[in-house]
């Protein structure tokens, strides 16, 4: 591998980047960012549903339109 790294500068660059990434626990940071980003989706989804419920509570015709839209676009019995 050392022979190839000396011959190909781009391979050496990739290997150095990988070594730096692993020395600084890059996989742990990537996992943490993914985990917390995924967990942040639930409060945002709950906020969106709450706002939609507040807005739609005053508009019964919009609720009927939304139900029709969902039933037309979602396949099967789920719609």
């Amino acid at each position: 591998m050392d022979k190839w790294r000396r011959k190909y500068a781009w391979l050496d660059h990739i290997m150095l980047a990988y070594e730096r990434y692993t020395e600084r626990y890059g996989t742990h940071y990537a996992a943490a960012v993914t985990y917390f980003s995924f967990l942040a989706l639930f409060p945002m989804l709950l906020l969106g549903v709450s706002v939609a419920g507040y807005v739609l509570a005053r508009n019964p015709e919009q609720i009927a339109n939304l139900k029709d839209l969902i039933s037309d676009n979602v396949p099967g019995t789920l719609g």
Side-chain angles (χ1 to χ4, degrees), residues 37-48:
S37 298
F38 182 72
L39 286 181
L41 289 176
F42 292 108
M44 290 188 292
L45 181 64
L46 183 60
L47 179 65

Side-chain angles (χ1 to χ4, degrees), residues 10-22:
W10 60 269
L11 180 62
D12 186 47
H13 181 73
I14 291 172
M15 295 300 292
L16 285 173
Y18 177 74
E19 289 169 5
R20 284 188 208 119
Y21 182 77
T22 55

Side-chain angles (χ1 to χ4, degrees), residues 23 27 42 56 77:
E23 284 174 2
T27 54
F42 292 108
L56 291 175
T77 59

Side-chain angles (χ1 to χ4, degrees), residues 12-73:
D12 186 47
H13 181 73
I14 291 172
M15 295 300 292
L16 285 173
Y18 177 74
E19 289 169 5
R20 284 188 208 119
Y21 182 77
T22 55
E23 284 174 2
R24 290 175 175 84
Y25 304 106
T27 54
H28 292 113
Y29 289 124
V33 166
T34 302
Y35 179 74
F36 288 115
S37 298
F38 182 72
L39 286 181
L41 289 176
F42 292 108
M44 290 188 292
L45 181 64
L46 183 60
L47 179 65
V49 169
S50 300
V51 169
Y54 182 76
V55 169
L56 291 175
R58 303 181 198 287
N59 296 324
E61 66 272 355
Q62 284 295 94
I63 293 174
N65 290 340
L66 185 60
K67 284 181 184 178
D68 293 338
L69 183 68
I70 290 172
S71 65
D72 290 342
N73 291 311

